[in-house]
Amino acid sequence: MTTKTFTAVIHKEENIFVANCPEIGTVSQGESVEEAITNLKEATELYLEEFPLPDNNLPITTTFEASYAQIA
């Protein structure tokens, strides 16, 4: 069994937390941040059982800035 570290990006939508793993593309949700991460971990593990990652094929994760006009 292989263990890797992945990223969880979490945001709140109304009364739930949505967690996304950008490296794999899995998404899950929960009533708390902890529950969303737990559910994302389970979804990611199930996905990787069906579609294993090649050893060297992880995408690059970075950040960028974007400008936009604010409506007053």
Side-chain angles (χ1 to χ4, degrees):
M1 183 173 288
T2 302
T3 301
K4 293 188 183 241
T5 301
F6 297 103
T7 305
V9 178
I10 303 164
H11 68 275
K12 189 168 185 178
E13 290 186 7
E14 296 182 19
N15 60 346
I16 62 167
F17 292 90
V18 178
N20 170 30
C21 176
E23 294 96 339
I24 306 300
T26 49
V27 179
S28 195
Q29 64 187 29
E31 293 181 3
S32 67
V33 171
E34 294 79 12
E35 183 180 14
I37 293 170
T38 298
N39 293 341
L40 180 63
K41 177 182 177 186
E42 181 181 2
T44 302
E45 289 173 343
L46 290 170
Y47 179 87
L48 290 173
E49 284 180 13
E50 193 69 29
F51 305 102
L53 286 178
D55 289 337
N56 60 354
N57 196 23
L58 287 178
I60 297 170
T61 303
T62 187
T63 61
F64 63 95
E65 293 181 4
S67 299
Y68 61 96
Q70 290 185 349
I71 300 173

